[in-house]
Amino acid sequence: MASEDITKLAESLAKTKVGGGQLSFKGQSLKLNTAEDAEEVIKQIEEFDGLEALRLEGNTVGVEAAKVIAKALEKKSELKRCHWSDMFTGRLRSEIPPALISLGDALITAGAQLVELDLSDNAFGPDGVRGFEALLKSPACYTLQELKLNNCGMGIGGGKILAAALKECHKKSSAQGKPLALKIFVAGRNRLENDGATALAEAFGIIGTLEEVHMPQNGINHPGITALAQAFAINPLLKVINLNDNTFTEKGAVAMAETLKALRQIEVINFGDCLVRSKGAVAIAEAVKEGLHRLKELNLSFCEIKRDAALTVAEAIEDKLELEKLDLNGNSLGEEGCEQLQEILEGFNMATILGSLSDDEGEEEDEEDEEEEEEEEEEEDEEEEEQQLKERGQGEKEAMTPKKILESQDSTPVPSPPVDVATFLAFPSPEKLLRLGPKCSVLIAQQTDASDVEKVVTTLLRISSVFKDEAPVKTAVHETTDALMKKAFASATFNSDAFITSLLIHMGLLKSEEKIKAVPSLYGILMTLNHMVQQDYFPKSLAPVLSAFVTKPNRALDSCSFARHMLLQTLHQL
């Protein structure tokens, strides 16, 4: 490390807040690669008597630096809180597990008894969970009360590993007469899906002491939601349930409503953007009406709830004296329904608790909607049954039953309507992209004017908007992006600087004099850019510009920080 860098690091560390048993290096953007880089940090740790909390957020710690920091922690038996979120920026995913293993082993050696472990915003994936698996199973975590793993990309595999470790911790700690009494669990944006959520539900049912569970944006459908509901019923101290942006449908909502009837301490229910629909909302309203006298917040926004069901929810909160917020925005009440809702709450002197209704979808036709809902439920059930059969190894047998053969002979399958490039670009979806066929990349590139920067940016955003982690869709998006951008960057009239400027404006990361509406979600374009910047056709001169804007604080970026972290990691390696 150069002398000027050491001076800079020393100045930064001089600002470190020390007090109340806490040593903080939070947000200092320290780049700790080698043992030498970490010398000042180690010195501060070693000289701090009675260290109870260590904050390393907002820095980047490499494998070698982690080893020497770990060595310093081996004598810190009083350490209780590890605030270690966002501490591997720019690191390869393969670097994170060994770094975590070193730090975890040090805590075990020290005989620490942790109360809080926060590893959020570290994109370590399933392998990263292996990095702190031993720590979770050790006596150092028998006393754990808060476990925060938000936005770590654990996936189904990581969720299962985590669940097994928690069960093992509970088993071992129970044998010593002091069972694990976890209170707060946070694991939003981890792609846990049904299998990961179900595995964790099993662990929650064993633990039984949870007070807060935050698992938003995990792709959990009604089987996983039902499993969680059953586990929550065995955790009578629950105060906060945040499952925002998963997919309940009626089955999941009804299961969760039954659980809510059994809970007495609930203060916050966040089922926003969970597709509980009208029947689910009525079931939840019944649970609210019957009890939940400590309820402070109820969020059922963007759930496809119609007017009558929304009014039933409003009527259910009449005697909820502690309620501070009711969010029913983004549903289908219509103008009259919104007015009726406000009148009901005014009658209870509770009009002030109602959130905005600015995104109300307007009243819809009941019959058509009910038919659509029933069809979707049936499709979901069929998919679930099919998956279960496959898991049991019976999928092929079922496909050849006499009933299926007769049905295939008696009815002519209705072909899907044809899709062309214009249709896809007008209303993009993963299905439409795949239905364009194996030549989709060539077709879209051919029909896009590569000399027109705006058209290229618009087309790129439409393609990336359908990005999914599923292999067929991911491959189609990457191949189509490659064909489009190869053509664009190869064109003599294509202005690369204008392209990156326009793209940043459309992403909402750069202001423009013209009123241009930013894309609603940056996840797809960030994941697509992560692929693009690694290709030969991408001008390396654009990487620093992209990195600078993606690094800046931004709400839209915060909402998809896993994708942001992945892109920044890649850009740092270029």
Side-chain angles (χ1 to χ4, degrees):
M1 182 183 273
S3 58
E4 59 268 24
D5 291 333
I6 294 173
T7 303
K8 185 178 178 182
L9 176 59
E11 290 174 355
S12 179
L13 291 175
K15 300 174 184 177
T16 299
K17 293 179 181 179
V18 179
Q22 175 174 283
L23 177 60
S24 176
F25 302 99
K26 182 179 179 179
Q28 295 186 14
S29 301
L30 304 176
K31 294 181 180 179
L32 308 177
N33 299 315
T34 65
E36 185 184 3
D37 294 343
E39 281 180 0
E40 288 291 335
V41 173
I42 294 164
K43 182 181 177 184
Q44 294 269 6
I45 292 172
E46 289 177 341
E47 293 178 353
F48 196 111
D49 293 328
L51 180 63
E52 294 183 6
L54 178 61
R55 309 195 75 105
L56 292 172
E57 311 104 304
N59 300 292
T60 177
V61 181
V63 177
E64 189 180 339
K67 285 181 180 178
V68 291
I69 291 173
K71 195 70 179 172
L73 290 175
E74 287 181 357
K75 298 177 181 178
K76 301 298 174 181
S77 61
E78 296 177 355
L79 189 62
K80 292 181 176 64
R81 298 184 182 274
C82 298
H83 302 279
W84 295 350
S85 63
D86 188 24
M87 60 179 255
F88 296 109
T89 301
R91 300 290 168 188
L92 294 172
R93 183 177 286 188
S94 59
E95 292 181 87
I96 302 176
L100 287 173
I101 288 170
S102 296
L103 293 167
D105 287 349
L107 298 179
I108 296 170
T109 301
Q113 293 186 315
L114 295 184
V115 173
E116 180 179 0
L117 177 61
D118 186 356
L119 291 168
S120 300
D121 299 317
N122 291 310
F124 46 59
D127 292 341
V129 185
R130 293 286 188 199
F132 59 92
E133 180 184 16
L135 173 63
L136 280 180
K137 294 178 179 179
S138 76
C141 284
Y142 291 177
T143 50
L144 196 63
Q145 295 180 16
E146 300 179 31
L147 179 58
K148 300 174 182 177
L149 299 165
N150 202 56
N151 190 43
C152 294
M154 290 190 292
I156 295 171
K160 288 182 176 180
I161 297 167
L162 175 61
L166 287 173
K167 287 191 288 185
E168 183 72 9
C169 181
H170 186 271
K171 180 181 177 181
K172 288 182 176 179
S173 56
S174 297
Q176 292 194 4
K178 292 185 177 180
L180 171 67
L182 193 66
K183 293 180 179 179
I184 298 174
F185 180 82
V186 182
R189 300 174 189 153
N190 269 293
R191 297 173 293 160
L192 294 169
E193 300 181 17
N194 289 333
D195 289 349
T198 301
L200 284 166
E202 188 178 336
F204 296 162
I206 292 169
I207 294 168
T209 55
L210 289 167
E211 295 181 11
E212 294 185 23
V213 176
H214 302 263
M215 295 173 67
Q217 295 181 20
N218 268 299
I220 309 170
N221 299 326
H222 72 79
I225 295 298
T226 301
L228 287 171
Q230 292 167 349
F232 292 165
I234 313 171
N235 285 264
L237 302 177
L238 263 175
K239 295 178 182 178
V240 178
I241 302 176
N242 176 8
L243 293 172
N244 190 287
D245 199 8
N246 288 291
T247 307
F248 283 37
T249 61
E250 183 187 340
K251 286 185 178 180
V254 169
M256 195 60 71
E258 286 302 309
T259 286
L260 290 175
K261 291 178 183 179
L263 299 175
R264 296 286 180 266
Q265 309 297 323
I266 291 293
E267 296 178 2
V268 176
I269 297 172
N270 186 345
F271 297 160
D273 204 12
C274 281
L275 205 66
V276 304
R277 295 193 175 124
S278 295
K279 291 179 182 177
V282 170
I284 292 169
E286 184 183 343
V288 171
K289 189 171 185 177
E290 288 183 12
L292 306 186
H293 295 292
R294 297 187 179 186
L295 190 63
K296 294 180 180 179
E297 180 179 333
L298 176 59
N299 185 346
L300 294 174
S301 59
F302 299 93
C303 279
E304 292 192 6
I305 301 170
K306 299 183 191 117
R307 179 180 62 179
D308 290 348
L311 298 182
T312 301
V313 172
E315 289 166 353
I317 65 166
E318 180 178 1
D319 63 345
K320 302 299 171 279
L321 302 179
E322 295 188 32
L323 195 66
E324 299 170 358
K325 183 179 180 182
L326 173 63
D327 193 345
L328 288 166
N329 197 20
N331 288 300
S332 302
L333 280 66
E335 188 175 341
E336 185 180 344
C338 290
E339 290 175 359
Q340 288 177 318
L341 181 64
Q342 289 167 332
E343 286 172 7
I344 289 172
L345 294 176
E346 284 172 2
F348 303 154
N349 291 319
M350 299 174 76
T352 55
I353 70 167
L354 183 62
S356 169
L357 297 172
S358 60
D359 293 316
D360 187 72
E361 295 289 337
E363 201 162 7
E364 297 175 358
E365 293 295 328
D366 289 345
E367 290 183 10
E368 289 182 11
D369 289 345
E370 283 172 8
E371 285 176 8
E372 286 178 11
E373 288 173 14
E374 286 172 8
E375 285 174 8
E376 286 179 25
E377 294 277 6
E378 286 172 9
E379 286 174 10
E380 287 169 6
D381 290 343
E382 285 173 9
E383 287 174 8
E384 186 183 340
E385 287 170 12
E386 191 176 315
Q387 182 61 34
Q388 287 173 349
L389 286 169
K390 285 178 181 177
E391 288 171 0
R392 295 173 193 156
Q394 297 176 0
E396 291 182 9
K397 292 178 184 178
E398 174 65 12
M400 294 305 291
T401 57
K403 183 181 176 183
K404 294 283 183 182
I405 294 170
L406 286 171
E407 286 176 350
S408 67
Q409 290 173 342
D410 293 341
S411 59
T412 305
V414 179
S416 300
V419 174
D420 56 20
V421 172
T423 303
F424 166 72
L425 292 177
F427 302 100
S429 74
E431 294 75 19
K432 287 177 186 172
L433 182 62
L434 294 176
R435 275 163 51 199
L436 281 171
K439 293 185 178 180
C440 63
S441 58
V442 177
L443 292 171
I444 291 176
Q446 284 177 344
Q447 296 184 39
T448 304
D449 182 359
S451 64
D452 189 328
V453 167
E454 280 301 310
K455 284 185 179 177
V456 171
V457 169
T458 302
T459 303
L460 174 62
L461 290 170
R462 296 288 171 85
I463 295 167
S464 65
S465 71
V466 307
F467 179 90
K468 292 174 76 174
D469 287 318
E470 297 171 6
V473 179
K474 187 176 181 180
T475 300
V477 169
H478 285 173
E479 289 178 352
T480 309
T481 298
D482 289 342
L484 173 69
M485 299 315 301
K486 272 182 188 176
K487 179 182 176 183
F489 287 123
S491 172
T493 57
F494 188 74
N495 188 322
S496 298
D497 292 335
F499 163 76
I500 199 68
T501 300
S502 176
L503 181 61
L504 291 168
I505 289 171
H506 282 276
M507 290 172 70
L509 306 182
L510 182 62
K511 290 183 179 180
S512 170
E513 293 180 2
E514 299 177 20
K515 288 186 178 180
I516 295 176
K517 189 175 180 181
V519 292
S521 171
L522 294 180
Y523 181 78
I525 185 59
L526 289 172
M527 294 301 284
T528 303
L529 283 169
N530 186 50
H531 168 78
M532 272 177 57
V533 299
Q534 299 177 65
Q535 309 310 310
D536 292 337
Y537 61 73
F538 187 81
K540 299 302 180 239
S541 60
L542 299 182
V545 179
L546 189 57
S547 180
F549 280 91
V550 175
T551 304
K552 286 183 178 180
N554 185 286
R555 284 186 181 180
L557 287 169
D558 291 341
S559 67
C560 45
S561 47
F562 173 75
R564 174 195 207 176
H565 189 78
M566 291 290 289
L567 176 57
L568 286 173
Q569 276 188 324
T570 302
L571 289 169
H572 276 105
Q573 303 302 320
L574 294 178

